Each structure stands twice: as C-alpha cells, then as structure tokens.
Amino acid sequence: MNLDDRVPEAPIEHMWSTHKEHLRLVGPRTRPHYRVIVVGTGLAGASAAASMAAMGYHVECFCFQDSPRRAHSIAAQGGINAAKDYRNDGDSVHRLFYDTQKGGDYRSREANVWRLAELSASIIDQAVAQGVPFAREYGGLLANRSFGGVLVERTFYCRGETGQQLLLGACSALAQQIHDGNVKMHTRTELLDVVIVDGRARGIVVRDLVTGEIRSHAAEAVVLATGGYSNVYYLSTNAKGCNVTATWRAHKRGAGFANPCYNQIHPTCIPVSSEHQAKLTLMSESLRNDGRIWVPRNEGETRSPGEIPEQDRYYYLEERYPRFGNLVPRDVASRNAKNVCDDGLGVGPSRLGVYLDFRDAISDHGHEVIGARYENLFAMYERITGESPWKTPMRIYPAPHYTMGGLWVDYNLMTTLPGLFAVGEANFSDHGANRLGASSMMQCLADGYFIIPITIGDYLSRHPYGDIDTSHAAFADAEREARGRIERLLAIDGSTTVESLHRELGRLMWDHCGIARSEDGLREALARIPELRDRFWNDLRIVGGAAGINQSLEHAGRLADFLEFAELMCRDALQRDESCGCHFREEHQTEEGEALRDDVNFSHVTVWEHTGENVEPKMHEEPLSFEALPLAQRNYKT
Amino acid sequence: MKFRLRIWKQASGDAAGAFSDYEVDGISPETSFLEMIDTLNERLTERGEEAVAFESDCREGICGMCSMVINGQPHGPLPGTTTCQLYMRHFDDGQPITIEPWRSGAFPVLRDLMVDRSAFDRILESGGYVTVHSGPKPEPNANPIDPEVAEESLDAACCIGCGACVAACPNGAAMLFTAAKVSHLGLLPQGQPERWERVQNMVEQMEEEGFGSCRNYAECEAACPKEISIKFIGRLNRDYLRALREPIDRHGPMDSQ
Ligand SMILES: Cc1cc2nc3c(=O)[nH]c(=O)nc-3n(C[C@H](O)[C@H](O)[C@H](O)COP(=O)(O)OP(=O)(O)OC[C@H]3O[C@@H](n4cnc5c(N)ncnc54)[C@H](O)[C@@H]3O)c2cc1C
Ligand code: FES
C-alpha cells in the first residue's frame, strides 16, 4: 500500500503555496470534458461540487436524502473556527495550528493541520460573500464566542444554527450550478460500490431509493464526502441515515482506512431515557461557557439538585482543571463524566448523567443575557425532557458524536486508490485522536472550497477524459455484486428486525469500544461481532422487495457494512496499545487518570488494507513527524 | 401509554391510498412521536407486515425531513415544533391519532407518508443564491452590517424547507418558503445586486411548479416549525412588484468556462 503523503519540501508556513505552484492544472476549455463524481452534499460535498462545477468541471452529485440541503451537516449548532484574531486576544494561524495539534493529542499530520489553520479565515470571507448571516456586534462587525479546548475567542456563529446557515450557503452555490447545468444532481440515490478500472476509481454503483433501480455512473475521478460513522453505536448525535457504507465499500475496493478507532464522544448530550430511543440529542458545547458541571459529592444523594448546598456539590472539572475549568476538551470532559458516574455519583433515573447548571450564570448575568445566548437550547431541552433549565439544572451525558478516523488521504486528499478522493468527516485528516469544537465545519469547507478544486486538477491532468463509460465490464460486475447482496438480504427471511440487531451492535460497541477501552473488552467484542454478523445473515427479517421504496432494506444494507466495519474498529483499538485523545485504553493512564501516550511506539497513523473476505486485514503505518510543534504531554490544568 | 393510529398507506405514487388502523401500546411518555412509529414498525415487521414509510433524518428539528400531518395539523399540535420533536407526553393516553402525508398537488406522494418536495429545490435553483465563486474574497469586516438586519435576515434564513407551510395552506401556496429565501438575501448587502432578478425568477418558478396563490390565510405562519413571520411575504410582494415595474435585462447562466 502506497502511503506517500505528498507533503512538499518547504517550511510549514509556505507548504501550501509552494505546493500550489507545483501542481499541474487543467485548462478552462478542457475542464468540461472531465467528469467528476461527488458523493455527499454536506458541507464538504456541497462546497466541493459547487466549486469544481463553477470552475467548469462536469460534476455529478449524489445524496441519499430528498434534497442536498438535508445532509447531516445541517444539524451542526455551535460554530466554526477561524484564525481572524478579531478579538485581539493573541490568535494567529500558528495558534490555531497549535490548538488543533494539541487538541488532537499529536496524532495528526502537521502539514495538513497547518494548511487548515491557514485557510480558516478565507472560509469566513467566502461564507459572508454568499450571504451567511453570522452573528454581529452592535457596531456591525462579526461576533465571536469561545469553545472548548482553547484560550482565545475565534468561533463564528449564527445563533445555534451555524451548520444550517453554512450548509445553506454551500447548497445555494450548488443550486446555482445545478440550474446552470454544470452539476447533475441525483437525490434519493445511495452509493453501493465504487468501480475500479485498471487500478483507478472510475465510477460508482448506486441504488435509486425511489424505484429500487441499480445503475452506474462513470467519471474520471470520484470524491467521497459521505460523512462519519458514529452510527456504528446505533445511538449517537448523528442523523439516522449517517452510515459507513460509502467509505467501507471504497475500503473493500482498495482504499486504506486510517485510525478507525478514533471516535469522539461528546460530553453534552441529553441522557438516554428509554429503551426505544432511536437517537441522542446534542446540547451545544457553547453551553459549557456559562453552565457549571457538577455532581453530588456523596454517593446515594437523594435531595433534588436545588436543595443540595454548595459544600455538597462536586464541581469536578473546575476542581481538577482550574485553568480550563468547564471548557476542557471534549475527550477530557466525557471521560470525567463517565468516571464520576462509575464512582456512583451520577444523577437522574439511570444514574448516567451529570448536572449542567445555569443557576450562577443566571444570577450573575440576568435572565435576559442568558436567554439571548441559550433561549432556543433551553426550549429544546425542555421539549425533550419536560424539565426547564431555568428552574433545575440540565442533565447531560456523553454520546458518540464524531469520527476522526476515515479514509486515509495524502496532502492532495486522494486516498490510496488513485482517482478516489475523500473530503470532510469521511477522511481521517486533520483532527488526530480528538477534534476540537467548531473545527469540523472548518475542515469540511477548507477541503471543499479551497483544496480539492485545485488538487484534483493535478490528478486529472495526468489522465485522459471520456475513455470509458458504464458499458465497461467492471461496471456490470460491480452492479451484479450489488444486486446479489440485496437479493441475499431479502432471501434471509428470519425473525429479527434490523433495528434490534443494530441496537445490539451499538450496545456492544458502546460497552467495549466507547469512552474507555481495555484489552479484555476489545477481545470480547472481537469475539462477539462475528456472532452478531452471523445472526444478521441468518435471522434478519425484511418485509417487502427490492423494487420501490423499502426503508428496512436500506437500513439492512447499512447495518451489514457496520457489522463488518465494527470489527476493524475494535481491531484498531486493540492494536493501539496506548491512550491518546479520545482513544482511552484503561491500561494506559497517568496517576491522575489522564490519557498516557506512547510516542515511541505509536506516533503514527494506522492504515488498514483490506485483503479479502474473512482474511485478517493488513496493517500499515504512516509515521508522523513533529517539527513545527514538538511533542508534549497535553495539559489543561495549569 | 396506548394509542389508536389511523395512518395513510399508499404503495406508490400511482397506487390508490387508504387509511389503515393500528394500535400500539407499552409506549412510555418519554418516547418521541417518531420513536412511537419506529416501535409500531418493528412490531409490524415481526408480524411480517409492511412497515409504514416515513421520512426523518436529524430528529432534532433542523433537517426538514420529517413531514406528517397529525390530527389535521402539519407537524402536530405544538407550535414551533417539527414532528420529530414531539413527545408522547404531549398526547393523551388512548388518544386516537390520524397521520397523513403533506397534502398538496405540488408534493406528489411517493409512498405512505413520503412526498416529493423537489419543487422547493427548483425554486431555490432559479435564484436563491448570490453569485460568488470559491476563492479570495474581501475582508468581511470592511462592510459592517447592522446586527438587527443580520438577525432579521437569519429569522428568514432559518427556514428548514420542510413544506409545512404548503401543507397548511388551503391554497397550497409556497409563498412563505419563497419569501423566506428572498428576504434572507434581500436584507443583506450581499444580496442586492441580484435582488430584483432573484425575486422575479423565484416567483415565476414557484408558479410553474403548480403551487397555489397566496390569499393571506396565514395558516403557513401558524404551522411553521421555525415560526417564520408572514411579514416576509409582504416583503416579497413589494420586491416583486418593484421588479415588475423596473424590468431588468436578465442575463443567461454565468459563463465561467
Ligand atoms: C449535532 C451535531 C452538532 C455539530 N456541531 C458542530 C459545530 O458546532 N461545529 C463543527 O465544526 N462541527 C459540528 N459538528 C460536526 C459536523 O457537523 C460534521 O462533522 C460535518 O458536518 C460533516 O460534514 P460532511 O460534509 O463531511 O458530511 P455530512 O454532512 O454527514 O454529509 C454526508 C453526505 O453524504 C451523503 N451520503 C452518505 N452516505 C451516502 C451513501 N452511501 N450514498 C450516497 N450518499 C451518501 C449524505 O446524503 C450527505 O449528503 C456537529 C455534528 C453534530 C452531529
Ligand atoms: S427529522 Fe430532521 S427536522 Fe425532523
């Protein structure tokens, strides 16, 4: 497996400009001849498709929802980072680079992280030009808020709907390109496979989710912008349809999968309340700016939160991390919540919850100020739980949220499969072992607006256009396989629903490959996943057929892939015999319970190669270097 | 809790539809409305019956995917709330609940509770954007925007495109949806150069899609889960009239190649 990262030789601050100077270009008259497939219309996909189409490439774009605007990115709430230094508080490209590297616990490729920080400011410029109505100060200039894990205020936002507004901005650019005929949009269409011809990605096989038709599309390059795989846990903050299918299928066709065990568990979600819960709701991290997190100091506390006096409240983050307090990075906040609950201090009916309390903020700043900041979040919380945060503290608990792992990509965002690119959450790139808040949208849009439109040209310019279409035998073969899988699923005729098998997988993964992992737990999961997979293939029940709309069939296809992928996740978590960022191996912690890295043996990216069905995958390493920022133990205490 | 459900079932766009009756019990008040239907669907599947097809994705009230008329009201009884944000504690135990898809000629039914809302996308494609390429842009703080204006723009921009406004309107008009986009961009300095052309193109497309005309029933505002104000419809009308009075020379698609 070729893991050449294609990082140019240059000082880090000049890498991207140097690289751009040396990239080959495709001329404007030639671009319309090149067909580019973009799968996904979230922030990464919509921005990539719109930007490439505006340059003149012929773009075919796909999403499984009924409209590009409904991609999961729409749900992002809190904001997007950019090193503008509007607050004059010492921000800079270097500071954002530093925060991201440190936040990721030194498990990212420096060159990519620097480029992300460097491009961050232009994303805000681009979005404002599109008409994204960011929050403004009284003087009319852009406003900022702070977010976890950093000491500057660099987060731009639109109330609690930043993802919606940024996505609508990107989708408006996409809409124009659709209208002008430069993008052919295929909604309600799901990717089932990637087609390889002569070692290069040349197209995809899809299923029309309305008619059930299986068909192919050919192109000179394929860009996957299909998001993350948190739904392997069944319960997560992700939209119900989020899946690993596209990246997993690409992996099985030869694309290396990097760091699958890096998944972020978000600390501020509404705790699970019932057996039939289908989805967890995130409460924006911005709440940690004013809310104080605590649990009762004594096990077995029975008083209601309002009756518990100050000395019996354990503000564990403030006590343990005086410098960052409630604003420690997500992995630290989540792990601490789990620890206090494991110690029997949890609150709520399940005892799996901690308080997020606004009492002091309301008395310090007044109802009006707090209302202006959080009114809609408070209302949302009350609607879901029936309790008002104005009167009683919120209850929160960590939930799976974001996946740092993904398809391995080089500096050009190309996977190990030539012609197959991955952008946004689907790739592994910039967040190492833990992502800081408000930085995913930044990465998605940097990838889509500014990086892929340029780097893809370098690849395309080296290859002819229009030399194959879907009549090539490789397409017929891939279509046959896709149809075969669907027929197999429908033929099982067992007794268990997809939903219940997915719930079972989720529980297994949460217990053994969640906030904390151990060798024993991972080995147990590795033994049980194949059993569950067997049950799936022998006892699944899907009602209805392959033609027309069949939502159980769609879900079954996605679960089949999760059931294979989950094993790789656990395998990766097992081999990474260290703790770093969100990957917390119980065997490796400091005396104070912090993640203990092993830089000598694990400062690399783990990249997995698929070697066949029921054959152990092959493991490769991309070594990481730390030149711009020397390795250090993360410290959020002093 | 226990509920008696009457749900619209329709095998495909061409097939005839009818209501089917179901009962679900053992539902806890913490269950969301969609989880209640998930439960029904699991039980139906176990019995070998076809599940009820419905749309949802984010289940947080932001993607605009969920779309059910519940006891005659789009998105059900709670104001400012999408179907996915309803909880069974908002209903009475034993209550009969009738569930239908959005009803509108411009939103053909695909199956059961799923409809085709692509007409909305085509309205946006006809002009719901500011023409900008990706690449270097001017420094945004060189052009301050009154925060009140930005907030008002966001009041319109927060439309989730669910289509409840159309489903609620006796005439099946899409005015609130179109007005929200026209106002979002029309309020901002960035939206000015294409303002008149945009409103004209979007209104024309809206009519072409077969949406009804607005008679000021204001049902749309009442049904809107984002509580978008009908004042934006007034704004659209004013802009549209001005665009008609001062016809602009419309150019073709941007030629960037
Ligand atoms: C509740 C929540 C709040 C968040 N808040 C923030 C925040 O404040 N700041 C921040 O920076 N980040 C935030 N994030 C993270 C961020 O929203 C996501 O990481 C990001 O939006 C991912 O974008 P994407 O473009 O990579 O993928 P997505 O938006 O997930 O889009 C995936 C696209 O791929 C398509 N797709 C997927 N699979 C297939 C398939 N098999 N076939 C065809 N199409 C397919 C989908 O249709 C969709 O269009 C939040 C996430 C959540 C869950
Ligand atoms: S499912 Fe997204 S708004 Fe209801």
Side-chain angles (χ1 to χ4, degrees):
Chain A
M1 183 162 270
N2 177 7
L3 294 183
D4 175 4
D5 61 17
R6 291 204 170 80
V7 171
E9 286 291 333
I12 198 155
E13 58 276 19
H14 300 306
M15 266 178 193
W16 179 230
S17 50
T18 311
H19 191 62
K20 279 198 290 185
E21 280 159 21
H22 292 96
L23 284 175
R24 286 167 59 111
L25 301 176
V26 177
R29 303 275 152 224
T30 322
R31 286 178 212 149
H33 297 294
Y34 280 103
R35 299 162 297 177
V36 178
I37 284 173
V38 178
V39 189
T41 57
L43 287 167
S47 58
S51 306
M52 291 190 289
M55 289 169 74
Y57 291 115
H58 177 83
V59 175
E60 304 251 351
C61 191
F62 299 79
C63 70
F64 65 74
Q65 292 92 345
D66 68 330
S67 165
R69 66 180 292 159
R70 303 203 206 281
H72 163 62
S73 294
I74 199 91
Q77 301 172 348
I80 176 165
N81 288 332
K84 283 277 198 189
D85 194 27
Y86 284 160
R87 293 317 264 281
N88 195 30
D89 56 3
D91 201 5
S92 63
V93 169
H94 183 271
R95 173 76 62 173
L96 178 51
F97 161 76
Y98 168 86
D99 287 338
T100 310
Q101 259 307 66
K102 176 182 169 198
D105 218 356
Y106 303 89
R107 288 293 174 264
S108 336
R109 189 190 291 149
E110 279 192 336
N112 288 52
V113 178
W114 185 281
R115 175 173 65 185
L116 176 64
E118 185 179 333
L119 292 172
S120 64
S122 0
I123 297 169
I124 304 303
D125 305 350
Q126 179 76 25
V128 169
Q130 287 168 340
V132 171
F134 282 118
R136 298 202 171 239
E137 296 170 346
Y138 289 125
L141 304 186
L142 291 162
N144 289 114
R145 59 163 58 136
S146 52
F147 242 65
V150 302
L151 297 170
V152 294
E153 290 191 297
R154 64 158 77 97
T155 304
F156 295 77
Y157 62 100
C158 310
R159 292 183 201 145
E161 296 139 14
T162 319
Q164 180 197 29
Q165 294 308 315
L166 288 169
L167 184 61
L168 293 182
C171 282
S172 71
L174 180 63
Q176 181 175 25
Q177 295 304 322
I178 295 170
H179 187 256
D180 292 354
N182 302 327
V183 174
K184 173 95 183 71
M185 185 68 224
H186 306 267
T187 58
R188 296 195 193 273
T189 308
E190 177 154 24
L191 177 147
L192 296 182
D193 212 342
V194 178
V195 181
I196 314 297
V197 178
D198 300 330
R200 290 167 50 207
R202 291 309 304 266
I204 59 175
V205 173
V206 297
R207 177 167 182 269
D208 181 319
L209 300 181
V210 176
T211 63
E213 181 204 5
I214 306 278
R215 57 167 201 269
S216 306
H217 296 265
E220 275 67 57
V222 177
V223 180
L224 296 185
T226 49
Y229 49 83
S230 293
N231 279 350
V232 69
Y233 294 101
Y234 184 70
L235 285 178
S236 84
T237 64
N238 284 197
K240 290 293 285 171
C242 292
N243 64 85
V244 77
T245 291
T247 47
W248 184 248
R249 292 281 141 205
H251 173 63
K252 292 183 82 168
R253 293 285 178 188
F257 210 109
N259 300 331
C261 79
Y262 289 167
N263 356 81
Q264 182 171 73
I265 315 282
H266 196 290
T268 54
C269 303
I270 300 180
V272 179
S273 68
S274 82
E275 169 73 8
H276 286 285
Q277 195 149 342
K279 163 89 200 328
L280 293 174
T281 305
L282 173 79
M283 298 307 298
S284 169
E285 180 161 32
S286 61
L287 291 166
R288 287 203 272 145
N289 278 318
D290 288 295
R292 297 181 67 194
I293 295 176
W294 63 278
V295 289
R297 216 171 261 288
N298 306 310
E299 213 177 316
E301 177 65 74
T302 52
R303 288 172 289 184
S304 69
E307 291 166 348
I308 301 178
E310 211 54 27
Q311 73 271 15
D312 291 340
R313 295 172 169 216
Y314 181 20
Y315 294 96
Y316 56 90
L317 290 178
E318 296 174 20
E319 284 185 28
R320 291 182 193 170
Y321 308 90
R323 185 141 178 255
F324 283 72
N326 293 298
L327 289 176
V328 292
R330 292 174 175 175
D331 55 332
V332 178
S334 291
R335 208 148 50 234
N336 277 280
K338 179 180 187 293
N339 290 345
V340 292
C341 292
D342 287 351
D343 291 345
L345 302 177
V347 300
S350 63
R351 299 268 160 209
L352 291 174
V354 300
Y355 291 129
L356 176 62
D357 198 343
F358 290 87
R359 186 194 63 180
D360 297 348
I362 295 167
S363 78
D364 290 354
H365 303 292
H367 202 286
E368 203 179 320
V369 172
I370 297 302
R373 286 183 198 159
Y374 308 115
E375 186 79 66
N376 55 350
L377 293 168
F378 282 16
M380 170 162 142
Y381 181 84
E382 184 166 358
R383 199 159 33 217
I384 296 174
T385 62
E387 292 175 1
S388 165
W390 292 108
K391 300 188 187 116
T392 184
M394 286 183 177
R395 279 178 292 113
I396 54 166
Y397 198 65
H401 176 61
Y402 178 89
T403 50
M404 282 75 66
L407 292 181
W408 184 89
V409 288
D410 64 16
Y411 195 62
N412 288 337
L413 305 182
M414 189 161 86
T415 67
T416 57
L417 243 178
L420 184 75
F421 294 76
V423 292
E425 194 174 337
N427 72 26
F428 88 110
S429 65
D430 306 348
H431 308 294
N434 172 52
R435 174 175 72 78
L436 288 182
S439 57
S440 167
M441 299 210 266
M442 170 172 77
Q443 181 226 327
C444 290
L445 292 177
D447 286 0
Y449 283 135
F450 302 123
I451 303 173
I452 188 86
I454 300 175
T455 56
I456 204 166
D458 185 74
Y459 170 81
L460 293 172
S461 71
R462 295 166 202 274
H463 298 283
Y465 51 77
D467 53 332
I468 62 157
D469 58 26
T470 54
S471 61
H472 190 283
F475 287 87
D477 289 346
E479 278 185 32
R480 196 175 325 106
E481 280 180 43
R483 273 191 204 98
R485 260 196 314 276
I486 288 177
E487 281 159 18
R488 254 182 86 201
L489 285 169
L490 291 169
I492 302 170
D493 203 22
S495 63
T496 317
T497 63
V498 191
E499 244 8 83
S500 68
L501 288 165
H502 197 168
R503 261 198 296 270
E504 222 174 299
L505 174 68
R507 224 169 288 141
L508 185 67
M509 293 303 284
W510 176 252
D511 288 345
H512 300 299
C513 200
I515 301 184
R517 297 119 187 232
S518 68
E519 178 171 349
D520 290 348
L522 289 165
R523 288 201 188 282
E524 183 178 338
L526 281 169
R528 282 174 53 196
I529 293 166
E531 290 168 22
L532 194 58
R533 205 162 49 222
D534 274 357
R535 273 192 29 231
F536 174 91
W537 285 106
N538 290 306
D539 193 32
L540 178 71
R541 169 173 289 179
I542 300 174
V543 180
I549 294 171
N550 187 342
Q551 294 175 319
S552 313
L553 177 64
E554 292 165 27
H555 190 176
R558 294 171 194 164
L559 180 58
D561 292 330
F562 275 132
L563 281 164
E564 294 180 7
F565 172 73
E567 202 173 329
L568 189 72
M569 233 171 107
C570 294
R571 205 183 280 281
D572 189 46
L574 182 62
Q575 69 76 28
R576 189 163 280 277
D577 197 12
E578 66 158 352
S579 294
C580 57
C582 294
H583 171 66
F584 190 76
R585 283 286 299 270
E586 284 167 353
E587 302 91 332
H588 303 289
Q589 44 185 310
T590 63
E591 272 175 22
E592 292 147 320
E594 304 298 330
L596 189 62
R597 292 195 320 253
D598 174 355
D599 291 329
V600 176
N601 294 304
F602 289 99
S603 44
H604 59 250
V605 177
T606 308
V607 190
W608 295 90
E609 178 181 359
H610 180 77
T611 46
E613 299 293 338
N614 303 316
V615 183
E616 286 222 354
K618 216 164 136 188
M619 197 176 83
H620 304 264
E621 291 173 12
E622 178 202 339
L624 293 171
S625 62
F626 306 94
E627 284 158 18
L629 182 65
L631 279 166
Q633 177 72 30
R634 273 198 326 172
N635 175 5
Y636 290 97
K637 295 195 163 179
T638 51
Chain B
M1 297 171 96
K2 181 173 174 172
F3 298 96
R4 278 184 294 131
L5 309 173
R6 287 199 86 196
I7 303 181
W8 185 259
K9 292 282 292 169
Q10 182 172 336
S12 68
D14 320 323
F19 281 104
S20 287
D21 293 309
Y22 303 94
E23 260 190 31
V24 275
D25 55 9
I27 300 289
S28 80
E30 279 80 52
T31 310
S32 77
F33 195 86
L34 295 183
E35 284 160 5
M36 183 270 296
I37 302 184
D38 288 339
T39 308
L40 170 72
N41 277 342
E42 273 200 78
R43 294 182 191 164
L44 290 174
T45 305
E46 279 160 8
R47 294 205 296 261
E49 291 176 44
E50 281 198 344
V52 177
F54 68 95
E55 306 220 63
S56 82
D57 203 22
C58 75
R59 299 207 179 188
E60 290 191 2
I62 191 73
C63 74
M65 199 96 156
C66 60
S67 43
M68 297 182 186
V69 177
I70 301 166
N71 289 339
Q73 285 177 291
H75 289 310
L78 252 65
T81 304
T82 54
T83 304
C84 60
Q85 293 175 298
L86 285 175
Y87 284 78
M88 295 323 289
R89 84 171 81 85
H90 301 136
F91 294 82
D92 297 327
D93 196 7
Q95 185 180 345
I97 302 176
T98 304
I99 310 173
E100 298 165 81
W102 283 173
R103 299 281 189 198
S104 159
F107 290 162
V109 172
L110 294 173
R111 185 186 176 99
D112 301 348
L113 304 173
M114 295 171 67
V115 298
D116 177 354
R117 288 171 284 191
S118 54
F120 268 12
D121 286 337
R122 289 187 292 274
I123 294 177
L124 293 184
E125 285 157 21
S126 73
Y129 45 76
V130 174
T131 298
V132 278
H133 280 206
S134 309
K137 293 287 170 302
E139 164 55 42
N141 272 354
N143 185 3
I145 300 177
D146 182 342
E148 298 287 331
V149 172
E151 287 297 306
E152 191 180 359
S153 169
L154 183 52
D155 287 341
C158 70
C159 166
I160 60 173
C162 64
C165 47
V166 176
C169 177
N171 274 358
M175 281 293 266
L176 192 60
F177 170 79
T178 309
K181 188 46 68 185
V182 164
S183 303
H184 156 214
L185 296 174
L187 278 160
L188 296 173
Q190 288 80 9
Q192 298 312 310
E194 291 160 298
R195 180 165 168 190
W196 315 111
E197 181 187 352
R198 172 182 311 117
V199 66
Q200 210 172 326
N201 286 344
M202 290 180 72
V203 169
E204 274 170 25
Q205 186 67 36
M206 182 180 80
E207 285 167 359
E208 214 165 285
E209 296 293 342
F211 289 103
S213 51
C214 174
R215 292 268 190 288
N216 293 320
Y217 291 108
E219 294 289 339
C220 51
E221 183 186 79
C224 176
K226 295 291 148 184
E227 305 183 306
I228 294 175
S229 162
I230 50 167
K231 76 175 181 199
F232 292 121
I233 296 183
R235 205 186 148 84
L236 176 142
N237 284 329
R238 285 194 300 280
D239 274 14
Y240 184 59
L241 287 177
R242 167 139 180 222
L244 290 185
R245 268 203 316 275
E246 294 165 35
I248 16 108
D249 185 15
R250 274 191 276 161
H251 50 70
M254 177 178 58
D255 186 9
S256 56
Q257 287 150 34

